[in-house]
Amino acid sequence: LDPLPRELEGRVAIVLTNAPYAPPAYRRASWDDMPGTVEGEGDDGLGLQRRLLVDARRVLRPGGWLAAQIAAEQTEAFRAALDAGGYLDHAVVAARAGDAVVVARTRQAGVPS
């Protein structure tokens, strides 16, 4: 999120991501043709998503949403990271072909969790 201007801090309604998330154990030779587009960071492939959920807090407005596409088998680990990051109301809103879209929101100003 570093390229976003500082004027957007605390003003963005939604951050959407489809960052690379495939665990390194799934590595295929064909991925060499598209470096950085499939294989995620860390043992479980969710390293980029974990960094993004922290960085997104800086730009999201109160009650703003984060939406991420990940592998369906990663939803439990990602939802735990959302909990640890202070996100609320996380849910899987779509799933197909082994992938899932998970959404979560930031706390609204003046509203208890």
Side-chain angles (χ1 to χ4, degrees), residues 22-34 38-39:
Y26 291 8
R27 183 102 176 86
R28 308 252 187 303
S30 62
W31 295 0
D32 292 339
D33 295 338
M34 27 184 197
V38 179
E39 187 175 338

Side-chain angles (χ1 to χ4, degrees), residues 47-61:
L48 287 171
Q49 287 74 10
R50 286 188 182 95
R51 285 197 340 250
L52 180 64
L53 70 88
V54 170
D55 290 347
R57 297 292 305 241
R58 176 177 53 86
V59 299
L60 286 170
R61 69 182 186 202

Side-chain angles (χ1 to χ4, degrees), residues 3 12 30 35 37 42 50 63-64 76 81 85 90-91 98 101-102 109 113:
V12 174
S30 62
T37 61
R50 286 188 182 95
E76 186 175 321
H90 47 79
V101 175
V102 178
S113 56

Side-chain angles (χ1 to χ4, degrees), residues 9 12 21 39-40 50 57 69 71 73 91 100 106:
E9 288 186 10
V12 174
Y21 56 84
E39 187 175 338
R50 286 188 182 95
R57 297 292 305 241
Q69 180 174 326
E73 66 193 47
T106 60

Side-chain angles (χ1 to χ4, degrees), residues 57 64-65 82-83 85-91 103-108 111-113:
R57 297 292 305 241
W65 290 88
L82 290 165
D83 275 339
Y87 285 83
L88 307 171
D89 302 330
H90 47 79
V103 298
R105 70 173 174 82
T106 60
R107 181 171 283 114
Q108 293 179 323
V111 177
S113 56

